[in-house]
Amino acid sequence: MKNLLKNKLFLILFANDLLSNFGDVLYYLALMSYVLQLPDAKVAIALVSVSESLPILTGFVMGHVADRTLDKLGKIFHTLLFRVGLYSLVGIVMGFQPALWVVMVAAAINFFSDLAGQYENGLYIPLSLRIVADEDREASYSFKQAVGFVTAIGFQSLGAVFVSVMSYQALAFVNAGTFLLSAGILFLIKSPIQALLSAKPILVQDKQEGENLARNLWRSMKEAVEACLSIPELRQSIVLTPLLNGLFNILSILIAVIISQDKQFVLINPATTLAAISVAQLLGGILGSVLGMNALKSVSIGAILRSATLLVPFLFLCLYQHWLYGLFFLVFLALVLAAAVNPKMNALILNSLPEEKLALISGGIGTYFQLGSLVLRLIVSGLILFLPVEGVSLVFGLVGVCMIIYAYKGRKSS
């Protein structure tokens, strides 16, 4: 830990990442608050959900592009400026009267911004291997996760205040400004990063003559799944992780729908309610990060995932009953478990990947683990148009019961 606190490049880049995270928090709260004031809020919520779900499919594609990029540092700078332009455009359209077409534009921009973010993350992975020493890498993940959760509590609270006092247009421009400031900070520390890259150049896989992109991507996706299957603890999670990711992901959609229909299902106003849910997640994440470094350090990934399945039926029961405070508590517990298991998975995955395919295969693994989120978000986006939210909650509560049976039956048979 002492080495990390003395690593100025690591700390500056981490602070830079936190800055853009603050902008993202503002944008999410502003967009969801904007959506909830529309007469056709359910359609708008479905649009936003689809725009956030589709990039799940593209993680390994953007990772493939990132792996083949030579000037990774320069391209990171360009992606930041690209996102400045995107959110500036959102700021312009937010100046018009609230309408569904504005949400459509914002959702499309959100999609392209997520693609740029995936590309940027893939570019940064090999840089991080040179900025943080091998022996400090696991500690860096724990440190970033814990600090990220702590600062995000302030971001959510401050974001709720900003949404209450600032226009949606102004908030979009503030988000654009955070990416511009991030680009400026990156420019200032460009020289020491270049020195590290000169001392240890990044390995880039050569493009083969006559290479077929689709076939190469398919092969890489297979390599990602094979990498999971080759690690016993990840093999245990191959079914449960995508489903858990998906079920926890759709909570935000159903919560937004209930808020739009039940004015009693709020704390002060919709923005503060969404922020309070996020704060419950963040508090759980902080506790889970701490427990993951001591009390839960020796607990297996499979055991934590099985425990998480026990929460699923009760989460959807709270939604079915419109029980807000019970939902807060269960979301908190779910994030305790998620924060404890994530560093374990990251360490296992990154320690098994070759550098020249690092972004592609890790992106493929991430895509596979998030497939449940994509499928279930798309299903929910359709179901909320035809079923009451209570019916949707009941359906997924039953899915949770089936997951518990599968998880513990599989444990007995193994």
Side-chain angles (χ1 to χ4, degrees):
M1 185 61 69
K2 290 182 179 179
N3 291 336
L4 287 176
L5 296 178
K6 293 178 181 178
N7 190 332
K8 293 182 179 179
L9 276 180
F10 167 75
L11 293 176
I12 292 173
L13 286 170
F14 179 44
N16 212 23
D17 189 45
L18 290 177
L19 175 63
S20 61
N21 287 346
F22 175 62
D24 289 339
V25 167
L26 277 181
Y27 181 71
Y28 172 76
L29 290 175
L31 182 58
M32 292 308 296
S33 298
Y34 182 93
V35 162
L36 291 173
Q37 71 176 346
L38 298 178
D40 45 2
K42 292 173 69 172
V43 175
I45 291 170
L47 284 172
V48 174
S49 173
V50 170
S51 74
E52 292 178 342
S53 302
L54 288 178
I56 293 172
L57 287 175
T58 60
F60 73 105
V61 179
M62 302 312 293
H64 171 78
V65 178
D67 280 333
R68 299 301 179 90
T69 300
L70 296 176
D71 182 15
K72 298 184 188 295
L73 183 59
K75 293 302 180 184
I76 291 175
F77 184 77
H78 292 156
T79 60
L80 290 170
L81 294 182
F82 176 65
R83 295 168 91 178
V84 171
L86 287 178
Y87 289 110
S88 296
L89 179 58
V90 172
I92 293 172
V93 299
M94 284 286 188
F96 294 91
Q97 289 294 321
L100 186 59
W101 74 266
V102 175
V103 176
M104 294 175 65
V105 173
I109 288 176
N110 190 51
F111 170 75
F112 288 112
S113 177
D114 284 349
L115 292 186
Q118 289 176 343
Y119 180 50
E120 181 184 327
N121 290 338
L123 293 170
Y124 180 73
I125 290 174
L127 298 184
S128 69
L129 299 182
R130 286 148 180 81
I131 294 170
V132 178
D134 292 355
E135 61 272 16
D136 296 327
R137 193 158 299 137
E138 186 173 347
S140 72
Y141 281 114
S142 299
F143 174 77
K144 288 171 68 175
Q145 179 174 268
V147 174
F149 279 128
V150 171
T151 55
I153 293 176
F155 292 167
Q156 293 289 342
S157 303
L158 188 59
V161 173
F162 277 21
V163 170
S164 301
V165 300
M166 296 178 65
S167 69
Y168 301 121
Q169 184 179 38
L171 291 169
F173 283 125
V174 168
N175 192 24
T178 61
F179 286 108
L180 182 60
L181 184 55
S182 293
I185 293 173
L186 183 65
F187 181 78
L188 293 176
I189 60 173
K190 181 178 180 180
S191 295
I193 296 177
Q194 288 284 20
L196 291 175
L197 296 178
S198 298
K200 186 180 179 182
I202 294 175
L203 299 175
V204 178
Q205 188 179 21
D206 294 330
K207 184 176 181 180
Q208 301 299 317
E209 200 67 36
E211 180 182 56
N212 183 283
L213 177 61
R215 186 179 302 168
N216 188 40
L217 289 173
W218 174 249
R219 183 175 66 249
S220 299
M221 188 63 169
K222 288 173 62 179
E223 290 176 4
V225 175
E226 289 169 0
C228 289
L229 294 175
S230 67
I231 304 172
E233 285 197 286
L234 289 181
R235 187 165 62 242
Q236 296 172 4
S237 66
I238 208 76
V239 174
L240 291 180
T241 300
L243 285 173
L244 286 170
N245 281 338
L247 290 170
F248 291 143
N249 237 285
I250 63 176
L251 288 176
S252 60
I253 304 174
L254 298 178
I255 289 169
V257 174
I258 295 175
I259 290 174
S260 70
Q261 297 176 347
D262 183 358
K263 302 307 178 185
Q264 302 301 314
F265 193 76
V266 293
L267 286 176
I268 304 175
N269 58 50
T272 56
T273 304
L274 294 172
I277 291 288
S278 296
V279 168
Q281 293 176 321
L282 296 170
L283 290 173
I286 294 169
L287 180 59
S289 299
V290 174
L291 293 177
M293 290 185 283
N294 44 72
L296 297 178
K297 187 175 182 179
S298 60
V299 181
S300 70
I301 290 174
I304 296 176
L305 291 177
R306 286 191 294 272
S307 299
T309 62
L310 296 174
L311 300 178
V312 174
F314 297 102
L315 277 166
F316 287 98
L317 177 62
C318 288
L319 289 176
Y320 180 83
Q321 295 288 348
H322 293 205
W323 188 22
L324 184 59
Y325 296 102
L327 185 66
F328 285 156
F329 177 68
L330 290 171
V331 165
F332 168 80
L333 289 181
L335 264 293
V336 169
L337 297 176
V341 79
N342 281 340
K344 297 176 183 288
M345 283 194 172
N346 285 334
L348 282 171
I349 291 171
L350 288 183
N351 289 340
S352 65
L353 302 177
E355 180 175 305
E356 63 272 18
K357 292 186 176 182
L358 199 58
L360 190 150
I361 300 179
S362 62
I365 293 173
T367 295
Y368 174 77
F369 279 161
Q370 291 298 325
L371 280 178
S373 298
L374 171 65
V375 173
L376 292 183
R377 287 179 76 92
L378 291 176
I379 290 174
V380 169
S381 297
L383 286 179
I384 60 175
L385 300 178
F386 304 103
L387 292 178
V389 69
E390 293 80 11
V392 178
S393 301
L394 183 60
V395 168
F396 288 108
L398 293 174
V399 171
V401 172
C402 294
M403 286 179 60
I404 293 173
I405 295 172
Y406 169 82
Y408 285 90
K409 182 180 178 181
R411 180 193 179 193
K412 292 178 181 178
S413 62
S414 58

